[in-house]
């Protein structure tokens, strides 16, 4: 088993790497980089200010990993270390010095259209970009993470203590996050800030936000409540005190000094609605349970009455479900649910805080999978009806219902167990049309939205996440199958 797991994990990592790398290469070579500004409102506002526009473009390309960029001030500060008489004036002498430095270090020298101020850019080769993407993907916090020249006496330590604000926690000093490990009543109850996944910065949509915060962070309005801050000040705020991060001493505002007694004064906000992945996970898990709850009994009934009226009726219904396009299916049941049961036909009508918002998209997502579940479970159970153990059970005097429930279904549970993890992942990642029709802010429609908005970092991140959960679901399916049937030995060759 250990050998099997090691091989499968290694193969899974390789699959994730290949899919993500190919996607990265396609996006960053075949898609023109200027397309990222197509729907950028700020870009349009700066068209009458050429200097600011050039800086805006290069800053964006730099954040997205296309180029390295030194603004006029950064360039002068860098080169003047070796040339004391250098200034930012657009003179021939300064240009000659800067050109020589740029040629020596592999940069390309430019001048702003209006002020003629100098700046430099350097294209980053695709292999280097890919390497940096993977090299910076895993961010590990530690007591030497913070480098703050304005606070030279910063203590660097990790200690487990009962913090006045959050209770028992592993508290860091010199770390980026104050609370490395903490506990609360929210699932999964034990939380950590030691290891973070860095998938880049979102642009142009959700501009400037960390990609993982876009995907896993809350949505909607901030959830303000009465909070007591570390200094004892009580105020109404949406700050998440568990997320406290280090702020450089010279950047601490008077308000931050009033609320916090140390440099850990940066906090994330708490929002009223769940994250994108949280909404999709809720609907996906319930949809799978619904699909199997409907599909298994129907398949067993059809197999038991093979060739008779229940089977023929079931085959007719399944044929209709398969034949109808998914979009027509969604709109039909959306119409029925809205007009017959008074359910909202759009997720934002009542929002993520109302259970009615989830009913129609979840039920429809489950029904879309029912037909395939019925087909392969019915087929498997019919195949098993001619097996020797079924004949032996009949010879013992067991009736058809007992044989189907106690014997045939027990063996049918093996492939069912194998498919459940992948079905859950498929429901979470494959709800693109359903979430789009209902305007549900989940992961399903995030990929097409990011592609349409030319948000390359989000596209790469979603592909990476979808690939990771897909290959993980295959492994979990095999392990679940082995748990259901001890006769299956994954360690044996050929199994």
């Amino acid at each position: 088993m250990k050998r099997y797991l090691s091989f499968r994990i290694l193969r899974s990592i390789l699959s994730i790497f290949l899919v993500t790398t190919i996607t990265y290469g396609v996006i960053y070579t075949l898609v023109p980089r200027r397309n990222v500004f197509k729907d950028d409102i700020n870009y349009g506002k700066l068209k009458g200010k050429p200097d600011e526009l050039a800086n805006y473009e290069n800053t964006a390309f730099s954040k997205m990993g296309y180029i390295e960029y030194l603004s006029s001030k950064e360039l002068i500060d860098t080169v003047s270390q070796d040339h004391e008489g250098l200034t930012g004036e657009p003179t021939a002498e300064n240009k000659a010095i800067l050109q020589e430095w740029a040629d020596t270090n592999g940069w390309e020298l430019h001048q702003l259209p209006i002020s003629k101020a100098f700046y430099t850019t350097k294209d980053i080769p695709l292999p280097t970009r890919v390497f940096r993407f993977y090299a910076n993907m895993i961010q590990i916090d530690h007591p030497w993470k913070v480098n703050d020249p304005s606070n030279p006496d910063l203590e660097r330590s990790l200690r487990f203590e009962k913090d006045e604000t959050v209770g028992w926690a592993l508290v860091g000093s010199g770390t980026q996050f104050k609370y490395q490990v903490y506990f609360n009543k929210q699932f999964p109850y034990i939380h950590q800030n030691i290891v973070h996944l860095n998938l880049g910065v979102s642009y142009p949509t959700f501009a400037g936000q960390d990609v993982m915060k876009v995907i896993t962070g809350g949505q909607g309005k901030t959830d303000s409540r009465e909070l007591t801050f570390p200094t004892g000040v009580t105020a109404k705020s949406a700050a998440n005190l568990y997320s406290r991060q280090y702020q450089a001493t010279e950047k601490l505002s008077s308000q931050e000094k009033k609320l916090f007694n140390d440099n850990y004064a940066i906090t994330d906000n708490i929002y009223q609605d769940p994250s994108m992945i949280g909404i999709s996970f809720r609907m996906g898990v319930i949809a799978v349970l619904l699909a199997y709850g409907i599909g298994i009994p129907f398949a067993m009934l059809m197999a038991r009455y093979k060739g008779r009226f229940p089977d023929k009726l079931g085959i007719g219904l399944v044929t209709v479900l398969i034949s109808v396009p998914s979009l027509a299916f969604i709109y039909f049941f959306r119409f029925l649910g809205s007009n017959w049961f008074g359910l909202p036909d759009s997720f934002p009508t009542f929002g993520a805080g109302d259970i009615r918002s989830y009913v129609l998209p979840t039920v429809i997502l489950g029904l879309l999978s029912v037909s395939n579940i019925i087909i392969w479970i019915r087929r498997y159970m019919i195949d098993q009806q001619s097996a020797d153990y079924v004949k032996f059970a009949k010879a013992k005097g067991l009736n058809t219902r007992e044989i189907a429930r106690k014997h045939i279904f027990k063996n049918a549970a093996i492939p069912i167990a194998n498919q459940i993890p992948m079905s859950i992942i498929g429901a979470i990642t494959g709800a693109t049309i359903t979430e789009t029709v209902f305007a549900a802010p989940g992961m399903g429609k995030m990929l097409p939205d990011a592609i349409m908005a030319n948000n390359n970092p989000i596209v790469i991140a979603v592909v990476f996440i979808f690939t990771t959960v897909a290959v993980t679901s295959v492994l979990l399916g095999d392990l679940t199958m082995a748990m259901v049937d001890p006769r299956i030995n994954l360690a044996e060759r050929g199994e």
Side-chain angles (χ1 to χ4, degrees):
M1 177 66 77
K2 292 182 179 179
R3 183 179 179 182
Y4 167 81
L5 285 176
S6 300
F7 174 75
R8 287 300 298 268
I9 291 173
L10 181 62
R11 191 170 68 178
S12 298
I13 293 173
L14 181 61
S15 300
I16 296 168
F17 171 78
L18 288 176
V19 172
T20 308
T21 302
I22 291 172
T23 305
Y24 196 104
V26 169
I27 288 177
Y28 282 94
T29 55
L30 300 183
V31 179
R33 67 175 69 176
R34 193 164 293 276
N35 282 3
V36 301
F37 301 115
K38 186 174 63 175
D39 298 319
D40 188 344
I41 299 176
N42 293 326
Y43 185 84
K45 293 178 179 179
L46 293 174
K47 286 188 176 180
K49 304 175 181 178
D51 285 6
E52 294 182 30
L53 181 64
N55 181 65
Y56 187 83
E57 284 183 347
N58 289 307
T59 301
F61 290 146
S62 177
K63 289 181 179 179
M64 298 179 70
Y66 283 107
I67 63 173
E68 291 182 17
Y69 169 56
L70 290 178
S71 64
S72 299
K73 184 179 183 306
E74 293 170 333
L75 176 62
I76 300 304
D77 289 344
T78 301
V79 181
S80 61
Q81 296 177 6
D82 298 324
H83 298 82
E84 295 183 0
L86 180 68
T87 67
E89 295 297 322
T91 64
E93 182 180 355
N94 287 334
K95 183 176 182 179
I97 295 173
L98 293 173
Q99 187 66 62
E100 181 183 0
W101 179 89
D103 293 339
T104 303
N105 293 277
W107 291 80
E108 187 174 350
L109 185 65
H110 307 274
Q111 287 184 271
L112 293 174
I114 304 299
S115 66
K116 301 301 180 182
F118 300 102
Y119 68 92
T120 54
T121 61
K122 181 195 294 185
D123 282 339
I124 303 174
L126 182 62
T128 303
R129 279 184 258 162
V130 173
F131 174 79
R132 290 180 180 178
F133 174 77
Y134 288 111
N136 297 318
M137 180 178 291
I138 307 297
Q139 299 287 324
I140 300 177
D141 205 359
H142 53 81
W144 290 267
K145 185 79 170 180
V146 171
N147 181 20
D148 183 9
S150 57
N151 188 9
D153 299 325
L154 175 65
E155 179 187 355
R156 301 187 182 275
S157 63
L158 284 172
R159 56 184 179 275
F160 194 74
E161 63 181 36
K162 188 174 183 180
D163 186 84
E164 294 181 358
T165 305
V166 304
W168 286 103
L170 180 63
V171 181
S173 181
T175 54
Q176 180 183 352
F177 290 85
K178 183 176 181 68
Y179 304 114
Q180 299 290 288
V181 179
Y182 60 92
F183 313 89
N184 60 25
K185 297 180 181 179
Q186 296 181 353
F187 181 83
Y189 312 117
I190 301 176
H191 310 268
Q192 63 85 31
N193 279 317
I194 301 173
V195 181
H196 287 266
L197 195 62
N198 175 25
L199 296 178
V201 177
S202 178
Y203 184 87
T205 52
F206 308 101
Q209 294 188 43
D210 183 88
V211 169
M212 286 304 298
K213 285 186 178 180
V214 173
I215 296 174
T216 62
Q219 304 178 83
K221 297 180 180 178
T222 55
D223 188 10
S224 298
R225 60 192 72 184
E226 288 291 329
L227 284 180
T228 300
F229 288 87
T231 56
V233 175
T234 300
K236 193 171 184 180
S237 172
N240 179 7
L241 297 181
Y242 293 104
S243 67
R244 291 172 62 185
Q245 297 183 55
Y246 190 91
Q247 174 73 291
T249 303
E250 60 182 13
K251 293 182 180 180
L252 281 172
S253 65
S254 57
Q255 179 67 13
E256 290 172 336
K257 292 178 181 178
K258 179 182 177 182
L259 300 177
F260 299 96
N261 51 16
D262 56 22
N263 287 70
Y264 290 91
I266 301 176
T267 61
D268 296 331
N269 285 329
I270 299 175
Y271 293 88
Q272 295 179 357
D273 297 342
S275 63
M276 293 182 182
I277 196 169
I279 288 176
S280 291
F281 185 80
R282 290 182 182 184
M283 294 194 297
V285 171
I286 297 174
V288 169
L289 294 176
L290 178 65
Y292 277 91
I294 296 174
I296 291 175
F298 265 86
M300 293 178 66
L301 181 67
M302 291 168 64
R304 181 182 171 192
Y305 294 99
K306 178 190 174 186
R308 287 186 273 177
F309 177 74
D311 186 35
K312 292 180 180 179
L313 178 62
I315 291 175
L317 291 174
V318 168
T319 303
V320 171
L321 290 175
I322 294 175
S323 303
V324 175
S326 298
L327 191 60
F329 182 96
I330 294 170
Y331 274 106
F332 175 74
F333 280 95
R334 178 177 179 239
F335 174 80
L336 291 183
S338 176
N339 289 273
W340 289 12
F341 300 98
L343 294 169
D345 57 3
S346 177
F347 194 92
T349 301
F350 296 112
D354 195 312
I355 193 172
R356 290 174 293 178
S357 302
Y358 296 90
V359 175
L360 278 181
T362 302
V363 170
I364 290 173
L365 195 58
L367 293 178
L368 285 170
S369 306
V370 165
S371 55
N372 288 329
I373 293 174
I374 291 176
I375 288 173
W376 66 264
I377 293 180
R378 172 188 175 274
R379 181 182 302 164
Y380 185 85
M381 295 191 69
I382 289 174
D383 290 342
Q384 292 297 302
Q385 287 177 0
S386 59
D388 291 338
Y389 71 87
V390 175
K391 296 177 182 178
F392 182 72
K394 288 180 180 179
K396 288 173 61 179
L398 295 178
N399 59 41
T400 306
R401 178 179 296 179
E402 290 177 319
I403 294 172
R405 181 169 51 87
K406 294 182 179 180
H407 295 277
I408 296 178
F409 181 71
K410 187 176 181 180
N411 284 300
I414 298 171
I416 291 174
N418 178 264
Q419 291 294 321
I420 286 177
M422 188 173 292
S423 298
I424 294 175
I425 299 302
I428 295 173
T429 61
T432 302
I433 300 177
T434 306
E435 290 186 0
T436 301
V437 170
F438 285 92
M443 283 281 289
K445 71 185 190 70
M446 195 174 189
L447 182 59
D449 285 353
I451 293 174
M452 294 297 295
N454 293 284
N455 192 330
N456 297 340
I458 291 287
V459 174
I460 299 296
V462 173
V463 169
F464 173 79
I465 293 173
F466 282 4
T467 306
T468 301
V469 296
V471 298
T472 303
S473 69
V474 175
L475 177 60
L476 291 177
D478 288 349
L479 295 177
T480 306
M481 186 170 60
M483 292 172 61
V484 172
D485 188 355
R487 297 170 298 176
I488 298 176
N489 186 0
L490 298 175
E492 294 293 334
R493 180 174 297 178
E495 290 295 318

